[in-house]
PDB file of all heavy atoms in Angstrom:
ATOM      1  N   PHE B 479      92.217 129.739 109.697  1.00  0.00           N
ATOM      2  CA  PHE B 479      91.772 128.860 110.645  1.00  0.00           C
ATOM      3  C   PHE B 479      92.875 127.821 110.992  1.00  0.00           C
ATOM      4  O   PHE B 479      93.774 127.604 110.276  1.00  0.00           O
ATOM      5  CB  PHE B 479      90.566 127.869 110.131  1.00  0.00           C
ATOM      6  CG  PHE B 479      89.415 128.735 109.568  1.00  0.00           C
ATOM      7  CD1 PHE B 479      89.502 129.159 108.296  1.00  0.00           C
ATOM      8  CD2 PHE B 479      88.288 129.031 110.354  1.00  0.00           C
ATOM      9  CE1 PHE B 479      88.359 129.780 107.679  1.00  0.00           C
ATOM     10  CE2 PHE B 479      87.194 129.636 109.862  1.00  0.00           C
ATOM     11  CZ  PHE B 479      87.313 130.108 108.616  1.00  0.00           C
ATOM     12  N   TRP B 480      92.836 127.354 112.272  1.00  0.00           N
ATOM     13  CA  TRP B 480      93.604 126.146 112.632  1.00  0.00           C
ATOM     14  C   TRP B 480      92.665 125.147 113.184  1.00  0.00           C
ATOM     15  O   TRP B 480      91.802 125.477 114.030  1.00  0.00           O
ATOM     16  CB  TRP B 480      94.673 126.529 113.738  1.00  0.00           C
ATOM     17  CG  TRP B 480      95.915 127.051 113.170  1.00  0.00           C
ATOM     18  CD1 TRP B 480      96.393 128.307 113.029  1.00  0.00           C
ATOM     19  CD2 TRP B 480      96.988 126.331 112.665  1.00  0.00           C
ATOM     20  NE1 TRP B 480      97.581 128.399 112.501  1.00  0.00           N
ATOM     21  CE2 TRP B 480      98.043 127.124 112.253  1.00  0.00           C
ATOM     22  CE3 TRP B 480      97.233 124.884 112.380  1.00  0.00           C
ATOM     23  CZ2 TRP B 480      99.216 126.636 111.636  1.00  0.00           C
ATOM     24  CZ3 TRP B 480      98.420 124.310 111.898  1.00  0.00           C
ATOM     25  CH2 TRP B 480      99.399 125.356 111.620  1.00  0.00           C
ATOM     26  N   TYR B 481      92.750 124.011 112.712  1.00  0.00           N
ATOM     27  CA  TYR B 481      92.016 122.839 113.159  1.00  0.00           C
ATOM     28  C   TYR B 481      92.894 121.783 113.731  1.00  0.00           C
ATOM     29  O   TYR B 481      94.135 121.652 113.227  1.00  0.00           O
ATOM     30  CB  TYR B 481      91.171 122.233 111.987  1.00  0.00           C
ATOM     31  CG  TYR B 481      90.044 122.850 111.642  1.00  0.00           C
ATOM     32  CD1 TYR B 481      89.962 123.940 110.767  1.00  0.00           C
ATOM     33  CD2 TYR B 481      88.681 122.567 112.141  1.00  0.00           C
ATOM     34  CE1 TYR B 481      88.852 124.728 110.395  1.00  0.00           C
ATOM     35  CE2 TYR B 481      87.530 123.169 111.725  1.00  0.00           C
ATOM     36  CZ  TYR B 481      87.576 124.284 110.919  1.00  0.00           C
ATOM     37  OH  TYR B 481      86.443 124.903 110.593  1.00  0.00           O
ATOM     38  N   VAL B 482      92.457 121.004 114.663  1.00  0.00           N
ATOM     39  CA  VAL B 482      93.176 119.858 115.203  1.00  0.00           C
ATOM     40  C   VAL B 482      92.416 118.547 114.918  1.00  0.00           C
ATOM     41  O   VAL B 482      91.115 118.570 115.023  1.00  0.00           O
ATOM     42  CB  VAL B 482      93.396 119.999 116.673  1.00  0.00           C
ATOM     43  CG1 VAL B 482      92.135 120.182 117.441  1.00  0.00           C
ATOM     44  CG2 VAL B 482      94.319 118.968 117.291  1.00  0.00           C
ATOM     45  N   GLN B 483      93.097 117.491 114.649  1.00  0.00           N
ATOM     46  CA  GLN B 483      92.548 116.227 114.480  1.00  0.00           C
ATOM     47  C   GLN B 483      93.192 115.217 115.376  1.00  0.00           C
ATOM     48  O   GLN B 483      94.339 114.842 115.083  1.00  0.00           O
ATOM     49  CB  GLN B 483      92.582 115.776 112.989  1.00  0.00           C
ATOM     50  CG  GLN B 483      91.814 114.510 112.586  1.00  0.00           C
ATOM     51  CD  GLN B 483      91.889 114.373 111.090  1.00  0.00           C
ATOM     52  OE1 GLN B 483      92.865 114.554 110.325  1.00  0.00           O
ATOM     53  NE2 GLN B 483      90.689 113.726 110.612  1.00  0.00           N
ATOM     54  N   TYR B 484      92.475 114.753 116.339  1.00  0.00           N
ATOM     55  CA  TYR B 484      93.078 113.672 117.185  1.00  0.00           C
ATOM     56  C   TYR B 484      92.753 112.305 116.384  1.00  0.00           C
ATOM     57  O   TYR B 484      91.918 112.259 115.640  1.00  0.00           O
ATOM     58  CB  TYR B 484      92.326 113.647 118.583  1.00  0.00           C
ATOM     59  CG  TYR B 484      92.559 115.018 119.393  1.00  0.00           C
ATOM     60  CD1 TYR B 484      91.663 116.044 119.368  1.00  0.00           C
ATOM     61  CD2 TYR B 484      93.840 115.217 119.838  1.00  0.00           C
ATOM     62  CE1 TYR B 484      91.841 117.166 120.012  1.00  0.00           C
ATOM     63  CE2 TYR B 484      94.104 116.431 120.511  1.00  0.00           C
ATOM     64  CZ  TYR B 484      93.133 117.508 120.583  1.00  0.00           C
ATOM     65  OH  TYR B 484      93.403 118.522 121.262  1.00  0.00           O
ATOM     66  N   PRO B 485      93.616 111.326 116.877  1.00  0.00           N
ATOM     67  CA  PRO B 485      93.420 110.082 116.136  1.00  0.00           C
ATOM     68  C   PRO B 485      92.107 109.571 116.035  1.00  0.00           C
ATOM     69  O   PRO B 485      91.387 109.505 117.098  1.00  0.00           O
ATOM     70  CB  PRO B 485      94.380 109.093 117.090  1.00  0.00           C
ATOM     71  CG  PRO B 485      95.458 110.051 117.564  1.00  0.00           C
ATOM     72  CD  PRO B 485      94.657 111.221 117.864  1.00  0.00           C
ATOM     73  N   ASN B 486      91.689 109.063 114.868  1.00  0.00           N
ATOM     74  CA  ASN B 486      90.410 108.495 114.684  1.00  0.00           C
ATOM     75  C   ASN B 486      89.227 109.445 114.946  1.00  0.00           C
ATOM     76  O   ASN B 486      88.111 108.926 115.313  1.00  0.00           O
ATOM     77  CB  ASN B 486      90.218 107.198 115.410  1.00  0.00           C
ATOM     78  CG  ASN B 486      91.138 106.249 114.935  1.00  0.00           C
ATOM     79  OD1 ASN B 486      91.421 106.083 113.667  1.00  0.00           O
ATOM     80  ND2 ASN B 486      91.755 105.300 115.838  1.00  0.00           N
ATOM     81  N   GLN B 487      89.453 110.814 114.991  1.00  0.00           N
ATOM     82  CA  GLN B 487      88.398 111.681 115.192  1.00  0.00           C
ATOM     83  C   GLN B 487      88.334 112.732 114.003  1.00  0.00           C
ATOM     84  O   GLN B 487      89.120 112.955 113.235  1.00  0.00           O
ATOM     85  CB  GLN B 487      88.732 112.412 116.632  1.00  0.00           C
ATOM     86  CG  GLN B 487      88.571 111.537 117.839  1.00  0.00           C
ATOM     87  CD  GLN B 487      88.697 112.237 119.085  1.00  0.00           C
ATOM     88  OE1 GLN B 487      88.383 113.421 119.090  1.00  0.00           O
ATOM     89  NE2 GLN B 487      89.140 111.583 120.163  1.00  0.00           N
ATOM     90  N   GLY B 488      87.206 113.412 114.046  1.00  0.00           N
ATOM     91  CA  GLY B 488      87.065 114.408 113.085  1.00  0.00           C
ATOM     92  C   GLY B 488      87.815 115.759 113.477  1.00  0.00           C
ATOM     93  O   GLY B 488      88.565 115.705 114.527  1.00  0.00           O
ATOM     94  N   LEU B 489      87.703 116.712 112.625  1.00  0.00           N
ATOM     95  CA  LEU B 489      88.447 118.032 112.797  1.00  0.00           C
ATOM     96  C   LEU B 489      87.713 118.846 113.789  1.00  0.00           C
ATOM     97  O   LEU B 489      86.479 118.973 113.805  1.00  0.00           O
ATOM     98  CB  LEU B 489      88.666 118.689 111.506  1.00  0.00           C
ATOM     99  CG  LEU B 489      89.421 117.994 110.382  1.00  0.00           C
ATOM    100  CD1 LEU B 489      88.999 118.501 109.104  1.00  0.00           C
ATOM    101  CD2 LEU B 489      90.842 118.368 110.652  1.00  0.00           C
ATOM    102  N   GLN B 490      88.488 119.423 114.692  1.00  0.00           N
ATOM    103  CA  GLN B 490      87.905 120.356 115.702  1.00  0.00           C
ATOM    104  C   GLN B 490      88.624 121.781 115.508  1.00  0.00           C
ATOM    105  O   GLN B 490      89.879 121.928 115.397  1.00  0.00           O
ATOM    106  CB  GLN B 490      88.336 119.905 117.077  1.00  0.00           C
ATOM    107  CG  GLN B 490      87.720 120.669 118.243  1.00  0.00           C
ATOM    108  CD  GLN B 490      88.054 120.069 119.624  1.00  0.00           C
ATOM    109  OE1 GLN B 490      88.727 118.924 119.708  1.00  0.00           O
ATOM    110  NE2 GLN B 490      87.582 120.779 120.607  1.00  0.00           N
ATOM    111  N   LEU B 491      87.797 122.760 115.562  1.00  0.00           N
ATOM    112  CA  LEU B 491      88.305 124.166 115.265  1.00  0.00           C
ATOM    113  C   LEU B 491      89.069 124.569 116.642  1.00  0.00           C
ATOM    114  O   LEU B 491      88.576 124.539 117.718  1.00  0.00           O
ATOM    115  CB  LEU B 491      87.179 125.192 115.246  1.00  0.00           C
ATOM    116  CG  LEU B 491      87.698 126.577 114.960  1.00  0.00           C
ATOM    117  CD1 LEU B 491      88.471 126.700 113.657  1.00  0.00           C
ATOM    118  CD2 LEU B 491      86.436 127.464 114.921  1.00  0.00           C
ATOM    119  N   LEU B 492      90.492 124.987 116.457  1.00  0.00           N
ATOM    120  CA  LEU B 492      91.196 125.491 117.516  1.00  0.00           C
ATOM    121  C   LEU B 492      90.954 126.992 117.671  1.00  0.00           C
ATOM    122  O   LEU B 492      90.794 127.441 118.766  1.00  0.00           O
ATOM    123  CB  LEU B 492      92.652 125.256 117.194  1.00  0.00           C
ATOM    124  CG  LEU B 492      93.350 124.002 117.688  1.00  0.00           C
ATOM    125  CD1 LEU B 492      94.762 123.950 117.238  1.00  0.00           C
ATOM    126  CD2 LEU B 492      93.227 123.901 119.234  1.00  0.00           C
TER     127      LEU B 492
END
Side-chain angles (χ1 to χ4, degrees):
Chain B
F479 308 83
W480 275 98
Y481 281 84
V482 60
Q483 189 173 35
Y484 298 104
N486 297 323
Q487 294 187 25
L489 292 154
Q490 180 182 1
L491 181 67
L492 270 180

